Amino acid sequence: MSASHPTDSINRRIVLAARPTGAPTVDHFRLEEIAVPFLEQGQILLRAEWLSLDPYMRGRMSDAPSYAPPVQIGEVMTGGVVSRVVASKHPGFHPGQKVMAYTGWQDYAVSDGSGVTLLSDTLAHPSHALGALGMPGYTAYAGLLDIGAPQIGETVVVAAATGAVGSMVGQIARIKGCRVVGVAGGPQKCQHAVEQLGFDACIDHRAPDFAAQLKAACPKGIDVYFENVGGAVFDAVVPLLNVHARIPLCGLIAHYNGGRVESDASALLRRVLTHRIQIRGFIIFDYYVNRPDLHAAFQHDVSAWLADGSLRYQEDVVQGLENAPQAFIGLLQGKNFGKLVVQVSS
């Protein structure tokens, strides 16, 4: 047990100030300072060290019907956080422990321990619990292997190829013996995907002849397309889909800010029918609840691949909680290079 209050009694937090109708701006967020609450029996006080920024957060800023409740105006922005226990009145936790919990964009949080995952003392990079060994990594692993079911020699295409999820999808597909083609924004990201991540090819979606380049990179068509972008990338993929192709669908970042009209859906549906294509949307949180066996396999496999160097993982680190809104806005514009995390404290 320890003191129930930290020496630093100010809690900075970033709340949702207004709901964006298109792309969010810094005016949709507000930085507040409040007192750190005292602990009651059965509670722990957490000091944030690493905050994860992820595309799904844009959906939580809207009050449109979705799979998760929206953040309310004036509420702390949602997000996964690696924290240190700084005070405890809970028998299951003691000061100094590292944990992961969805405590949001703030310096301090009080918890009763529910939804709090204790992290191993041996985890060399605690921030990896938000990325390669966290929700983005599990999204890649479960979506690709459980839904995509890639076979040796098949062609796997993944958009946002150097992002937190896409970089993992491509590397796992490569480990499984597939031809891997990435799609990314800009030559630097494409070069990284090929030279550092081991993709067979990576196409710049900003290129004027993007669709032709993608077709040339997939001479045998596409067997698995891991979809997390939508937009023009999906339009270029559809004509290349093979018979019995699979599409794990976990996101549509190109449409999150609105403004883009969906393309010829009837043509897509016709091809889904004639080619018996499987498109399966999935929300990774369902897997946490329903597939503990798969999560255990994910933790085992990815830890081993990181350790032996067969899987590389890049983080894009932003310093300071106050810079989270601008970094998040950049994430939705594709400005990040790797898994985007904010170092809140050291």
Side-chain angles (χ1 to χ4, degrees), residues 19-24 28 58 256-259:
R19 297 202 187 280
T21 51
H28 293 109
R58 174 62 184 86
Y256 285 172
N257 289 331

Side-chain angles (χ1 to χ4, degrees), residues 182-238:
V183 176
Q188 183 187 7
K189 289 182 178 180
C190 287
Q191 184 179 359
H192 175 81
V194 173
E195 296 181 0
Q196 300 299 320
L197 305 182
F199 286 36
D200 293 285
C202 187
I203 314 302
D204 181 0
H205 66 74
R206 298 171 184 164
D209 60 341
F210 163 68
Q213 286 193 41
L214 182 65
K215 183 177 181 180
C218 304
K220 295 182 179 179
I222 297 171
D223 300 295
V224 180
Y225 174 53
F226 195 102
E227 175 63 294
N228 49 18
V229 171
V233 176
F234 185 61
D235 296 346
V237 164
V238 169

Side-chain angles (χ1 to χ4, degrees), residues 48-266:
E49 295 188 349
W50 297 94
L51 165 66
S52 178
L53 296 181
D54 301 284
Y56 77 84
M57 296 171 177
R58 174 62 184 86
R60 304 288 176 87
M61 296 174 75
S62 166
D63 59 1
S66 184
Y67 63 90
V71 176
Q72 297 301 317
I73 300 296
E75 269 188 357
V76 176
M77 281 292 296
T78 187
V81 183
V82 167
S83 300
R84 181 168 42 88
V85 179
V86 291
S88 177
K89 288 189 173 183
H90 189 296
F93 298 91
H94 60 76
Q97 288 179 316
K98 290 277 177 75
V99 300
M100 204 292 284
Y102 283 85
T103 48
W105 301 21
Q106 56 185 341
D107 285 325
Y108 291 96
V110 170
S111 171
D112 63 2
S114 58
V116 176
T117 302
L118 196 59
L119 300 180
S120 170
D121 294 335
T122 62
L123 189 60
H125 301 281
S127 58
H128 282 187
L130 302 171
L133 293 168
M135 183 266 291
Y138 193 32
T139 300
Y141 185 93
L144 178 66
L145 300 185
D146 189 52
I147 300 173
Q151 305 300 307
I152 292 174
E154 287 191 325
T155 296
V156 174
V157 172
V158 58
T162 60
V165 175
S167 63
M168 297 274 293
V169 169
Q171 291 183 89
I172 294 171
R174 188 202 68 216
I175 290 168
K176 296 297 183 181
C178 297
R179 173 174 172 80
V180 180
V181 177
V183 176
Q188 183 187 7
K189 289 182 178 180
C190 287
Q191 184 179 359
H192 175 81
V194 173
E195 296 181 0
Q196 300 299 320
L197 305 182
F199 286 36
D200 293 285
C202 187
I203 314 302
D204 181 0
H205 66 74
R206 298 171 184 164
D209 60 341
F210 163 68
Q213 286 193 41
L214 182 65
K215 183 177 181 180
C218 304
K220 295 182 179 179
I222 297 171
D223 300 295
V224 180
Y225 174 53
F226 195 102
E227 175 63 294
N228 49 18
V229 171
V233 176
F234 185 61
D235 296 346
V237 164
V238 169
L240 305 177
L241 292 170
N242 287 332
V243 173
H244 300 305
R246 288 84 69 198
I247 303 178
L249 171 61
C250 79
L252 293 167
I253 194 170
H255 302 282
Y256 285 172
N257 289 331
R260 187 184 193 277
V261 177
E262 299 286 349
S263 59
D264 193 348
S266 59

